[in-house]
Amino acid sequence: MNILLVDKHAVVRLGYASLLRALLPGVEVREAGSGEEALARVQEAVPNLVITGVGLPGISGLETTRRLRQRLPQLRVLFFSQHQELPLVRQALEAGASGYITKGATPGVMTEAVQRILDGHTYIEQALATELAYHPVDHRLQGMTARELEIFLMLAKGTPTRSIADQLSISSKTVSNHLTLLKSKLQVTSHAEMVHVGIDMGLVRAAG
């Protein structure tokens, strides 16, 4: 079995690659630090499974998944992310992912997710699956791109523009352009209103 593990942090890749090897004897784990690197790795050798996060430098994990699935419709992708916001989970599945678990999941959940996906099933962590079943899509998020949603969540949580640019390896001007489009799509005029929209959608917790 060959797994490609995609995460922007080398130390995180090292830790989870070791965990996967311990959980799944005989597995070969290759690594990539960005979406662009993942696309190149898959072109070199097609893995049985790609495990990726959402927030990657350059193109996002969502866009990476779309491109991989366009090239290789049979390729299976599991999202393993710190993000548990339902819109991101939905976008991951719409992009072609076969599963979604959080980084708070136990090793047993990861093993089950990998095995079930390789057997041809979809696997969503139980708590997320329950929330998806009971929470319909918010119409205000329709038409929002994966990158816009990612930036919206970061802005709504109070992440500074410069920090967003650094984390996503894009310019501050690009972040500002996304912010302008987001305000238009969400029909708000200020950063504060955007935070309130995020809280109203249940994407951001109110302080206190």
Side-chain angles (χ1 to χ4, degrees):
M1 184 195 308
N2 187 321
I3 293 176
L4 177 62
L5 179 63
V6 190
D7 194 282
K8 62 185 175 183
H9 299 297
V11 67
V12 172
R13 295 197 306 272
L14 177 63
Y16 284 113
S18 298
L19 178 62
L20 286 165
R21 293 187 184 103
L23 293 172
L24 303 163
V27 69
E28 178 185 349
V29 182
R30 294 186 300 147
E31 301 175 23
S34 68
E36 290 86 349
E37 188 179 353
L39 293 170
R41 288 276 187 270
V42 169
Q43 193 162 352
E44 294 167 2
V46 179
N48 300 101
L49 176 67
V50 174
I51 300 178
T52 183
V54 172
L56 300 175
I59 61 174
S60 71
L62 297 168
E63 181 58 28
T64 299
T65 299
R66 286 193 183 91
R67 295 187 189 185
L68 286 172
R69 293 276 295 168
Q70 283 174 354
R71 291 186 192 176
L72 301 162
Q74 78 281 9
L75 183 63
R76 301 193 177 280
V77 179
L78 169 64
F79 272 83
F80 181 50
S81 175
Q82 63 182 352
H83 297 288
Q84 50 190 326
E85 293 86 0
L86 297 186
L88 282 176
V89 179
R90 288 193 176 96
Q91 285 213 10
L93 298 174
E94 289 170 3
S98 297
Y100 198 110
I101 62 176
T102 66
K103 288 186 176 177
T106 64
V109 167
M110 173 176 274
T111 303
E112 183 179 3
V114 169
Q115 291 175 337
R116 285 188 60 78
I117 288 172
L118 290 176
D119 285 341
H121 304 289
T122 297
Y123 188 97
I124 303 173
E125 192 172 333
Q126 183 60 51
L128 294 177
T130 300
E131 286 194 64
L132 285 171
Y134 285 97
H135 292 83
V137 179
D138 192 301
H139 69 90
R140 289 170 291 185
L141 297 174
Q142 292 177 345
M144 193 177 289
T145 67
R147 180 62 93 196
E148 287 170 348
L149 177 58
E150 191 174 11
I151 291 175
F152 168 48
L153 289 170
M154 296 173 81
L155 285 167
K157 290 176 179 178
T159 308
T161 299
R162 179 69 259 174
S163 180
I164 293 173
D166 290 342
Q167 289 182 48
L168 300 180
S169 298
I170 58 180
S171 69
S172 293
K173 185 176 187 305
T174 299
V175 175
S176 297
N177 290 340
H178 279 299
L179 179 55
T180 299
L181 289 171
L182 284 167
K183 285 178 178 177
S184 175
K185 289 185 177 183
L186 294 170
Q187 298 183 347
V188 299
T189 58
S190 69
H191 194 154
E193 285 183 275
M194 190 176 296
V195 173
H196 286 304
V197 170
I199 293 172
D200 184 52
M201 290 181 180
L203 302 178
V204 184
R205 294 182 183 276

